[in-house]
């Protein structure tokens, strides 16, 4: 009888673990980029921006490594005179650091939210829309969100922004993706 009770108890514990364990981690944001991923942008700034943004014409983001929900990227900007400036930006989705929505958690669709600890208004930003769109020669699912001064578009699978318009009091910035190694156009009609 003890053996039968032990078998029943063991079966019950295993059944509970099978049901409970797969749900662990669903609240953790998903990182859609990996080491070596890069994307480049054309930048058009008008008006009277702060000195750090003045005369920027191009930028590139390259992922250096990924550790859970955090990762650093090397951000390089080019100025009108051709000089380059680089800096390391540190992202951490669990802590809400999306660096101005440059990269957000991947696979978010309409109605989903991401945490932005640095937002001056709402800390949870809602994806407002998604659609299929040709981006850099490939069909991608693109998501959209905005707040009082910026409209952003992201590649859903990676979470990387592919375009934005940001309008401030004295200046505006318009940024569009111009190249990436994260996806490529279909070859001979194959995706």
């Amino acid at each position: 009888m003890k053996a039968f009770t032990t078998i029943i108890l063991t079966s019950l514990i295993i059944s509970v673990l099978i049901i409970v364990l797969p749900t662990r981690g669903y609240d953790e944001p998903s990182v859609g980029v990996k080491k070596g991923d890069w994307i480049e942008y054309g930048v058009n700034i008008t008006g009277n921006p702060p000195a750090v943004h003045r005369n920027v014409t191009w930028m590139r983001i390259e992922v250096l490594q990924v550790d859970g929900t955090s990762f650093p990227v090397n951000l390089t900007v080019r100025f009108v005179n051709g000089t380059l400036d680089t800096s390391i930006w540190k992202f951490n989705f669990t802590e809400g650091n999306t660096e101005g929505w440059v990269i957000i958690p991947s696979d978010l669709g309409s109605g989903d939210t991401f945490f932005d600890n640095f937002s001056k208004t709402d800390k949870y930003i809602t994806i407002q829309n998604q659609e299929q769109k040709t981006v850099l020669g490939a069909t991608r699912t693109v998501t959209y969100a905005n707040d009082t001064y910026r409209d952003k578009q992201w590649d859903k699978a990676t979470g990387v922004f592919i375009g934005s318009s940001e309008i401030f009091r004295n200046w505006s910035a318009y940024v569009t993706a111009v190249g990436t190694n994260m996806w490529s156009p279909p070859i001979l009609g194959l995706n």
Side-chain angles (χ1 to χ4, degrees):
M1 187 66 163
K2 283 185 178 182
F4 180 72
T5 303
T6 303
I7 290 172
I8 295 296
L9 186 57
T10 302
S11 296
L12 184 62
I13 290 171
I14 290 172
S15 296
V16 168
L17 290 176
I18 288 172
I19 293 169
V20 172
L21 286 181
T23 62
R24 186 173 175 256
Y26 277 113
D27 292 333
E28 187 170 283
S30 175
V31 176
V33 293
K34 63 186 181 317
K35 180 180 178 178
D37 284 351
W38 59 264
I39 189 164
E40 296 175 346
Y41 304 90
V43 179
N44 180 19
I45 296 178
T46 61
N48 188 22
V52 70
H53 299 296
R54 198 165 293 138
N55 298 319
V56 173
T57 61
W58 173 91
M59 71 181 202
R60 175 186 170 108
I61 298 168
E62 182 173 354
V63 179
L64 300 176
Q65 65 186 25
V66 175
D67 183 17
T69 62
S70 64
F71 54 96
V73 303
N74 185 29
L75 176 80
T76 304
V77 295
R78 182 184 308 135
F79 297 94
V80 171
N81 65 6
T83 60
L84 299 173
D85 186 31
T86 63
S87 58
I88 304 298
W89 286 18
K90 296 181 180 180
F91 292 78
N92 187 318
F93 293 158
T94 303
E95 295 176 2
N97 186 2
T98 61
E99 292 289 351
W101 307 356
V102 170
I103 303 175
I104 65 171
S106 62
D107 296 320
L108 298 178
S110 294
D112 291 336
T113 61
F114 64 90
F115 179 47
D116 178 8
N117 192 39
F118 301 98
S119 174
K120 292 177 176 47
T121 55
D122 191 2
K123 299 289 185 195
Y124 290 91
I125 310 305
T126 302
I127 301 299
Q128 297 160 344
N129 191 16
Q130 78 177 36
E131 68 179 344
Q132 294 291 311
K133 187 174 177 181
T134 300
V135 180
L136 302 174
T139 302
R140 307 296 291 176
T141 301
V142 176
T143 58
Y144 301 86
N146 65 13
D147 65 8
T148 56
Y149 63 93
R150 64 184 152 197
D151 288 303
K152 291 256 186 174
Q153 304 173 25
W154 300 271
D155 174 64
K156 181 177 181 176
T158 62
V160 174
F161 97 99
I162 55 169
S164 70
S165 59
E166 302 187 36
I167 301 172
F168 303 94
R169 186 184 318 195
N170 299 321
W171 65 287
S172 301
Y174 304 93
V175 182
T176 304
V178 296
T180 188
N181 71 342
M182 289 182 264
W183 63 83
S184 59
I187 299 172
L188 300 173
L190 301 174
N191 284 328

